[in-house]
Amino acid sequence: MLNGKTALVTGGSRGIGRAVAWKLASLGADIAVIYAGNQEAAEAVCRDIQAQHGVRALAYQCNVADFTEVKQTVNRVKADFGTVHILVNNAGITRDGLAATMWERDFDDVLAVNLKGAFNMIRHCSGLFLRNRGGAIVNVSSVTGLMGNAGQANYAASKAGIIGLTKSVARELAPRGVTCNAVAPGFIDTDMTKELHDSPLAAAIPLGRMGTPEEVAEAVAYLATASYVTGEVLRVDGGIAM
Ligand code: NAI
């Protein structure tokens, strides 16, 4: 289905990003994994993907918050793979705290990685999409961006921002055949949420359990391949934000 296509996945060395890289590779796409710091994990993901799915997979260290670094990295991916057909903006961090006492640094860092990081990638990949007269962007938002969450004003603002970014880019690039959508995961079992297992929020999930990274990856793969869906925000949350 995606044979001959290249997918770039940020934060692809673990959690949801790794599951997305794996899923898109299972559909035949070559994979560029962007990672922040853990080279060993990123290279292990690439080795496993190549061995299992027979596609090309390469890892690139890049801080998505850095405009120039992203530009250089997209150029390296272009040199290695020729172009990018699918961009998945998955890299994200949390620095939780109440807004009344939150450190300025924690607000800025979360916005820089989660929101500006997605912008940086879109900004530097758009030329490739325009040249290809097609492409798909999938941004990872969160139900927190839809509902808000006490203790996560910075994170919720970044994830709500992702939705505005998604819909604006969807409108800008639709005439050129490029789609831009978002997934809004609920509580997904990853390193980011390891302390949430016993939280009352987890108990309020209608489907009665946390989600898996693979369940989010299914939705990302759908949006990456759906030809007549753009500007959509697809919740993958067991019903918690309905
Ligand atoms: P995780 O913490 O396991 O993975 C995050 C990934 O982002 C890591 O690979 C990390 O290296 C990468 N990353 C962080 N900062 C980066 C930077 N500056 N440059 C490049 N890469 C960077 O988290 P998880 O749970 O897999 O989350 C993935 C995405 O899903 C995030 O955007 C997160 O906000 C979102 N999400 C997660 C939910 C959950 O319940 N786990 C729920 C809703 C959204």
Side-chain angles (χ1 to χ4, degrees):
M1 189 182 199
L2 293 177
N3 294 314
K5 305 282 189 200
T6 298
L8 187 161
V9 183
T10 69
S13 57
R14 67 183 207 201
I16 292 171
R18 177 173 54 190
V20 168
W22 189 268
K23 175 71 189 174
L24 296 176
S26 78
L27 298 173
D30 293 325
I31 306 291
V33 167
I34 307 293
Y35 67 96
N38 193 340
Q39 181 178 2
E40 208 174 301
E43 285 178 353
V45 168
C46 290
R47 263 197 317 275
D48 291 350
I49 282 176
Q50 278 175 345
Q52 181 69 28
H53 299 298
V55 299
R56 288 180 72 207
L58 294 172
Y60 303 83
Q61 183 169 22
C62 170
N63 174 10
V64 296
D66 186 317
F67 189 82
T68 307
E69 226 176 275
V70 169
K71 181 177 184 181
Q72 290 162 349
T73 303
V74 170
N75 281 337
R76 286 176 58 207
V77 172
K78 186 181 165 221
D80 290 336
F81 290 94
T83 190
V84 174
H85 301 95
I86 295 167
L87 166 63
V88 181
N89 283 310
N90 162 81
I93 58 169
T94 52
R95 297 281 185 275
D96 295 352
L98 296 172
T101 50
M102 184 177 286
W103 295 106
E104 181 185 14
R105 178 81 191 266
D106 287 342
F107 189 88
D108 289 347
D109 286 353
V110 168
L111 269 289
V113 174
N114 297 9
L115 182 55
K116 190 173 175 229
F119 162 73
N120 287 341
M121 277 289 162
I122 291 169
R123 169 68 179 77
H124 294 302
C125 287
S126 286
L128 301 176
F129 295 140
L130 295 177
R131 227 162 292 151
N132 295 338
R133 295 181 182 284
I137 302 166
V138 184
N139 298 317
V140 180
S141 177
S142 166
V143 292
T144 303
L146 297 169
M147 304 193 299
N149 192 21
Q152 290 198 306
N154 50 357
Y155 183 76
S158 74
K159 293 301 186 179
I162 282 283
I163 294 172
L165 177 71
T166 298
K167 293 182 179 182
S168 302
V169 170
R171 288 182 188 278
E172 289 180 13
L173 296 183
R176 314 300 284 268
V178 181
T179 63
C180 183
N181 292 287
V183 288
F187 292 98
I188 309 301
D189 196 359
T190 69
D191 290 346
M192 193 180 264
T193 52
K194 46 182 184 286
E195 70 287 351
L196 283 179
H197 281 263
D198 301 322
S199 131
L201 276 171
I205 301 168
L207 283 179
R209 62 174 176 84
M210 294 176 83
T212 66
E214 291 71 26
E215 287 170 320
V216 180
E218 288 286 336
V220 171
Y222 166 69
L223 292 172
T225 53
S227 51
Y228 201 57
V229 179
T230 197
E232 180 57 54
V233 182
L234 179 54
R235 289 187 295 107
V236 185
D237 67 348
I240 199 165
M242 74 176 128

